[in-house]
mmCIF file of all heavy atoms in Angstrom:
data_model
loop_
_atom_site.group_PDB
_atom_site.id
_atom_site.type_symbol
_atom_site.label_atom_id
_atom_site.label_comp_id
_atom_site.label_asym_id
_atom_site.label_seq_id
_atom_site.Cartn_x
_atom_site.Cartn_y
_atom_site.Cartn_z
ATOM 1 N N VAL A 203 -31.255 9.162 -3.361
ATOM 2 C CA VAL A 203 -29.798 9.516 -3.486
ATOM 3 C C VAL A 203 -29.556 9.852 -4.969
ATOM 4 O O VAL A 203 -29.941 9.157 -5.878
ATOM 5 C CB VAL A 203 -28.893 8.322 -3.167
ATOM 6 C CG1 VAL A 203 -27.425 8.661 -3.372
ATOM 7 C CG2 VAL A 203 -29.120 8.032 -1.582
ATOM 8 N N ASN A 246 -16.741 7.889 9.033
ATOM 9 C CA ASN A 246 -16.796 6.422 8.934
ATOM 10 C C ASN A 246 -15.861 5.849 7.764
ATOM 11 O O ASN A 246 -15.821 4.708 7.625
ATOM 12 C CB ASN A 246 -18.320 6.047 8.651
ATOM 13 C CG ASN A 246 -19.176 6.350 9.629
ATOM 14 O OD1 ASN A 246 -18.942 6.306 10.756
ATOM 15 N ND2 ASN A 246 -20.406 6.915 9.341
ATOM 16 N N ASP A 269 -21.222 0.230 1.760
ATOM 17 C CA ASP A 269 -20.592 1.667 2.136
ATOM 18 C C ASP A 269 -21.569 2.108 3.214
ATOM 19 O O ASP A 269 -22.666 2.343 2.949
ATOM 20 C CB ASP A 269 -20.826 2.500 0.826
ATOM 21 C CG ASP A 269 -20.654 3.929 1.236
ATOM 22 O OD1 ASP A 269 -20.282 4.345 2.356
ATOM 23 O OD2 ASP A 269 -20.984 4.763 0.346
ATOM 24 N N ASN A 270 -21.017 2.096 4.408
ATOM 25 C CA ASN A 270 -21.761 2.562 5.565
ATOM 26 C C ASN A 270 -21.492 4.042 5.983
ATOM 27 O O ASN A 270 -20.684 4.282 6.794
ATOM 28 C CB ASN A 270 -21.424 1.620 6.779
ATOM 29 C CG ASN A 270 -21.859 0.247 6.574
ATOM 30 O OD1 ASN A 270 -22.939 -0.030 6.139
ATOM 31 N ND2 ASN A 270 -20.989 -0.643 6.794
ATOM 32 N N GLU A 271 -22.052 4.895 5.058
ATOM 33 C CA GLU A 271 -21.892 6.308 5.251
ATOM 34 C C GLU A 271 -20.393 6.743 5.203
ATOM 35 O O GLU A 271 -19.886 7.620 5.807
ATOM 36 C CB GLU A 271 -22.384 6.871 6.665
ATOM 37 C CG GLU A 271 -23.955 6.604 6.779
ATOM 38 C CD GLU A 271 -24.455 7.117 8.102
ATOM 39 O OE1 GLU A 271 -24.797 8.283 8.224
ATOM 40 O OE2 GLU A 271 -24.540 6.359 9.115
ATOM 41 N N GLU A 272 -19.667 5.993 4.358
ATOM 42 C CA GLU A 272 -18.187 6.270 4.272
ATOM 43 C C GLU A 272 -17.760 7.326 3.231
ATOM 44 O O GLU A 272 -16.797 7.950 3.305
ATOM 45 C CB GLU A 272 -17.479 4.881 3.945
ATOM 46 C CG GLU A 272 -17.652 3.850 5.093
ATOM 47 C CD GLU A 272 -17.381 2.505 4.544
ATOM 48 O OE1 GLU A 272 -16.309 2.294 3.945
ATOM 49 O OE2 GLU A 272 -18.293 1.629 4.758
ATOM 50 N N GLU A 274 -20.376 9.627 2.139
ATOM 51 C CA GLU A 274 -21.259 10.673 2.468
ATOM 52 C C GLU A 274 -22.204 10.358 3.639
ATOM 53 O O GLU A 274 -22.810 9.198 3.641
ATOM 54 C CB GLU A 274 -22.198 11.007 1.183
ATOM 55 C CG GLU A 274 -23.116 12.222 1.355
ATOM 56 C CD GLU A 274 -24.013 12.416 0.121
ATOM 57 O OE1 GLU A 274 -23.705 11.859 -0.870
ATOM 58 O OE2 GLU A 274 -24.892 13.264 0.218
ATOM 59 N N LEU A 275 -22.261 11.092 4.589
ATOM 60 C CA LEU A 275 -23.009 10.887 5.779
ATOM 61 C C LEU A 275 -24.578 10.729 5.364
ATOM 62 O O LEU A 275 -25.010 11.414 4.388
ATOM 63 C CB LEU A 275 -22.958 11.961 6.740
ATOM 64 C CG LEU A 275 -21.631 11.997 7.549
ATOM 65 C CD1 LEU A 275 -21.561 13.167 8.508
ATOM 66 C CD2 LEU A 275 -21.325 10.651 8.295
ATOM 67 N N ASP A 276 -25.255 9.876 5.983
ATOM 68 C CA ASP A 276 -26.671 9.612 5.844
ATOM 69 C C ASP A 276 -26.943 8.783 4.572
ATOM 70 O O ASP A 276 -28.107 8.581 4.241
ATOM 71 C CB ASP A 276 -27.508 10.817 5.830
ATOM 72 C CG ASP A 276 -27.379 11.588 7.220
ATOM 73 O OD1 ASP A 276 -27.230 10.964 8.224
ATOM 74 O OD2 ASP A 276 -27.304 12.869 7.141
ATOM 75 N N VAL A 277 -25.942 8.383 3.893
ATOM 76 C CA VAL A 277 -26.108 7.581 2.699
ATOM 77 C C VAL A 277 -25.498 6.270 2.808
ATOM 78 O O VAL A 277 -24.324 6.120 3.241
ATOM 79 C CB VAL A 277 -25.520 8.392 1.377
ATOM 80 C CG1 VAL A 277 -25.597 7.493 0.118
ATOM 81 C CG2 VAL A 277 -26.224 9.647 1.197
ATOM 82 N N GLY A 278 -26.141 5.199 2.512
ATOM 83 C CA GLY A 278 -25.672 3.827 2.521
ATOM 84 C C GLY A 278 -25.671 3.231 1.185
ATOM 85 O O GLY A 278 -26.573 3.524 0.414
ATOM 86 N N CYS A 279 -24.858 2.188 0.911
ATOM 87 C CA CYS A 279 -24.820 1.694 -0.368
ATOM 88 C C CYS A 279 -24.515 0.102 -0.315
ATOM 89 O O CYS A 279 -23.776 -0.380 0.600
ATOM 90 C CB CYS A 279 -23.741 2.382 -1.260
ATOM 91 S SG CYS A 279 -23.507 1.796 -2.938
ATOM 92 N N SER A 298 -28.011 2.780 -3.875
ATOM 93 C CA SER A 298 -27.682 3.696 -2.939
ATOM 94 C C SER A 298 -29.001 4.272 -2.344
ATOM 95 O O SER A 298 -29.990 4.534 -3.089
ATOM 96 C CB SER A 298 -26.990 4.974 -3.534
ATOM 97 O OG SER A 298 -25.773 4.573 -4.068
ATOM 98 N N ALA A 299 -29.017 4.557 -1.077
ATOM 99 C CA ALA A 299 -30.309 4.986 -0.434
ATOM 100 C C ALA A 299 -29.929 5.670 0.974
ATOM 101 O O ALA A 299 -28.881 5.525 1.413
ATOM 102 C CB ALA A 299 -31.172 3.637 -0.019
ATOM 103 N N PRO A 300 -30.901 6.529 1.420
ATOM 104 C CA PRO A 300 -30.642 7.095 2.782
ATOM 105 C C PRO A 300 -30.475 5.922 3.817
ATOM 106 O O PRO A 300 -31.093 4.882 3.606
ATOM 107 C CB PRO A 300 -32.018 7.773 3.024
ATOM 108 C CG PRO A 300 -32.378 8.175 1.666
ATOM 109 C CD PRO A 300 -32.148 6.956 0.833
ATOM 110 N N ILE A 301 -29.479 6.128 4.554
ATOM 111 C CA ILE A 301 -29.043 4.889 5.431
ATOM 112 C C ILE A 301 -30.149 4.240 6.224
ATOM 113 O O ILE A 301 -30.115 3.079 6.457
ATOM 114 C CB ILE A 301 -27.894 5.372 6.395
ATOM 115 C CG1 ILE A 301 -27.126 4.193 7.002
ATOM 116 C CG2 ILE A 301 -28.424 6.389 7.409
ATOM 117 C CD1 ILE A 301 -26.378 3.334 6.045
ATOM 118 N N GLU A 302 -31.153 5.034 6.647
ATOM 119 C CA GLU A 302 -32.230 4.479 7.404
ATOM 120 C C GLU A 302 -33.099 3.609 6.485
ATOM 121 O O GLU A 302 -33.886 2.776 7.010
ATOM 122 C CB GLU A 302 -33.006 5.528 8.060
ATOM 123 C CG GLU A 302 -33.924 6.363 7.168
ATOM 124 C CD GLU A 302 -33.226 7.624 6.599
ATOM 125 O OE1 GLU A 302 -31.915 7.712 6.850
ATOM 126 O OE2 GLU A 302 -33.794 8.434 5.964
ATOM 127 N N ARG A 303 -33.080 3.657 5.231
ATOM 128 C CA ARG A 303 -33.899 2.924 4.286
ATOM 129 C C ARG A 303 -33.250 1.692 3.770
ATOM 130 O O ARG A 303 -33.778 0.822 3.200
ATOM 131 C CB ARG A 303 -34.509 3.828 3.191
ATOM 132 C CG ARG A 303 -35.507 4.800 3.548
ATOM 133 C CD ARG A 303 -36.440 5.172 2.508
ATOM 134 N NE ARG A 303 -35.841 5.537 1.238
ATOM 135 C CZ ARG A 303 -35.855 6.760 0.688
ATOM 136 N NH1 ARG A 303 -36.374 7.735 1.386
ATOM 137 N NH2 ARG A 303 -35.311 7.021 -0.448
ATOM 138 N N ARG A 304 -31.895 1.654 3.912
ATOM 139 C CA ARG A 304 -31.186 0.605 3.245
ATOM 140 C C ARG A 304 -31.383 -0.753 3.946
ATOM 141 O O ARG A 304 -31.447 -0.774 5.153
ATOM 142 C CB ARG A 304 -29.560 0.897 3.304
ATOM 143 C CG ARG A 304 -28.845 -0.138 2.408
ATOM 144 C CD ARG A 304 -27.297 0.124 2.686
ATOM 145 N NE ARG A 304 -27.066 -0.269 4.085
ATOM 146 C CZ ARG A 304 -25.808 -0.355 4.515
ATOM 147 N NH1 ARG A 304 -24.816 0.176 3.852
ATOM 148 N NH2 ARG A 304 -25.524 -0.566 5.849
ATOM 149 N N ARG A 305 -31.496 -1.793 3.162
ATOM 150 C CA ARG A 305 -31.801 -3.171 3.653
ATOM 151 C C ARG A 305 -30.776 -4.100 3.135
ATOM 152 O O ARG A 305 -30.500 -4.164 1.988
ATOM 153 C CB ARG A 305 -33.232 -3.617 3.361
ATOM 154 C CG ARG A 305 -34.307 -2.696 3.827
ATOM 155 C CD ARG A 305 -34.476 -2.778 5.310
ATOM 156 N NE ARG A 305 -35.564 -1.894 5.738
ATOM 157 C CZ ARG A 305 -35.340 -0.615 6.244
ATOM 158 N NH1 ARG A 305 -34.139 -0.145 6.254
ATOM 159 N NH2 ARG A 305 -36.295 0.170 6.564
ATOM 160 N N TRP A 308 -31.254 -6.628 0.337
ATOM 161 C CA TRP A 308 -31.100 -6.138 -1.149
ATOM 162 C C TRP A 308 -29.963 -6.877 -1.830
ATOM 163 O O TRP A 308 -29.918 -6.866 -3.065
ATOM 164 C CB TRP A 308 -31.120 -4.600 -1.257
ATOM 165 C CG TRP A 308 -32.322 -3.926 -0.838
ATOM 166 C CD1 TRP A 308 -33.426 -4.386 -0.584
ATOM 167 C CD2 TRP A 308 -32.312 -2.431 -0.493
ATOM 168 N NE1 TRP A 308 -34.355 -3.370 -0.037
ATOM 169 C CE2 TRP A 308 -33.659 -2.230 -0.212
ATOM 170 C CE3 TRP A 308 -31.471 -1.440 -0.692
ATOM 171 C CZ2 TRP A 308 -34.206 -1.005 0.213
ATOM 172 C CZ3 TRP A 308 -31.863 -0.119 -0.334
ATOM 173 C CH2 TRP A 308 -33.217 0.076 0.090
#
Side-chain angles (χ1 to χ4, degrees):
V203 175
N246 296 323
D269 160 15
N270 294 313
E271 301 181 86
E272 296 162 51
E274 183 180 351
L275 288 176
D276 301 321
V277 174
C279 182
S298 300
I301 193 68
E302 70 274 7
R303 292 207 307 250
R304 189 192 66 181
R305 300 291 180 265
W308 294 349

